[in-house]
Amino acid sequence: IEQRIAELNKLLHEYGYAYYVLDKPVVADSVYDQLLHELIALEEANPSLIFPDSPTQRVGGTVVEGFKKVTHDYPMLSLSNAFNEADLQEFDRKVRQAIGDHFSYVCELKIDGLAISLKYENGVFVQGATRGDGVVGEEITANLKTIHAIPLRLKEPITIEVRGEAYMPKKSFEKLNAQRADNGEELFANPRNAAAGSLRQLDPKIAASRQLSTFIYAIGGDGEIYGIDGHAEMLDYLEDLGFPSNKERQRCSTIEEVMAFIEHWTENRPHLAYEIDGIVIKVDRYAQQDELGYTAKSPRWAIAYKFPA
Ligand SMILES: COc1nc2nc(N)nc(N)c2nc1C
């Protein structure tokens, strides 16, 4: 029995990782479901053999009265915005004024969801929270555990805090609103509101039914302590740990290349499986980010270009 339970955990973890994190399924859904039901049955008959990071442990049982407040170890900053080419040129001018011309940008899609923080101790997911006001957020670990893209255990037993965006894929949003229309319920205005509403549910079973996902885009605190000295390298490191990160990212040497990237996604964002509300541009190397520093509420080494509403 123990052997079969261990084997099922291993298989379901592998298949779940391929499907939810890499977005590259390796088995049919029916195979996954059949193995999952076998594991549920074996765990019910042998509760002492349940692995803490078994996929069956993602949906907790208890409905909570409310969410605890948690103070972030490192404040979750916001990004200053750019709305047009002049804003981008101004940002680029200030960057060059401060650090010269030998640097590169990393451009990423700005997912239209809600910012979350995930804490891992010795590789185990121990706490998840909303951004809140940037300093204090709401503890929503149980709801975040229902997001299959969020690993319950990392590939390395390290202690790290990561930040990302929880979002509802367009398909899940359309399905959810169709159900709500059938039930005569009020519809969600957009996937961001639907994702936020789902993570504010007091019953994890409801959050689990909303099929949310996430992309991780930063860590809390200094990358240097992991021996990493740039953002692009950090994203690769986070992927190696088992986190989902958005692959539509690109290194750019000039603001003209940044604008070409923005142009490309202005045209192609309707084809994405999720909504984006802009493009985030960051100076890549940490030493140069440190030179640029921060204003009271946002980094000087990054800017968010927002698509026209
Ligand atoms: C470095 O800080 C940030 N980086 C980000 N990166 C992406 N891709 N999307 C965001 N929404 C985002 N937000 C912040 C505050």
Side-chain angles (χ1 to χ4, degrees), residues 251-268:
R251 195 184 283 279
C252 294
S253 316
T254 64
I255 201 70
E256 287 70 27
E257 282 177 27
V258 167
M259 289 189 232
F261 185 82
I262 289 172
E263 196 45 49
H264 174 79
W265 288 109
T266 303
E267 270 152 52
N268 289 285

Side-chain angles (χ1 to χ4, degrees), residues 220-269:
D222 268 351
E224 277 92 350
I225 59 173
Y226 302 98
I228 306 253
D229 51 26
H231 177 63
E233 196 188 338
M234 174 53 76
L235 292 177
D236 294 343
Y237 175 63
L238 293 176
E239 279 177 14
D240 292 347
L241 286 173
F243 289 111
S245 81
N246 192 281
K247 59 187 185 306
E248 309 298 352
R249 57 179 181 267
Q250 183 179 312
R251 195 184 283 279
C252 294
S253 316
T254 64
I255 201 70
E256 287 70 27
E257 282 177 27
V258 167
M259 289 189 232
F261 185 82
I262 289 172
E263 196 45 49
H264 174 79
W265 288 109
T266 303
E267 270 152 52
N268 289 285
R269 72 172 167 155

Side-chain angles (χ1 to χ4, degrees), residues 77-79 108-111 165 217-218 280 282 299 301-302:
L77 301 170
S78 52
L79 292 172
E108 302 167 18
L109 302 184
K110 189 171 183 302
I111 311 303
E165 200 83 359
Y217 55 63
V280 180
K282 302 172 183 175
W301 43 267

Side-chain angles (χ1 to χ4, degrees), residues 265-284:
W265 288 109
T266 303
E267 270 152 52
N268 289 285
R269 72 172 167 155
H271 308 308
L272 287 167
Y274 42 84
E275 293 208 348
I276 61 172
D277 61 343
I279 299 292
V280 180
I281 302 127
K282 302 172 183 175
V283 170
D284 181 43

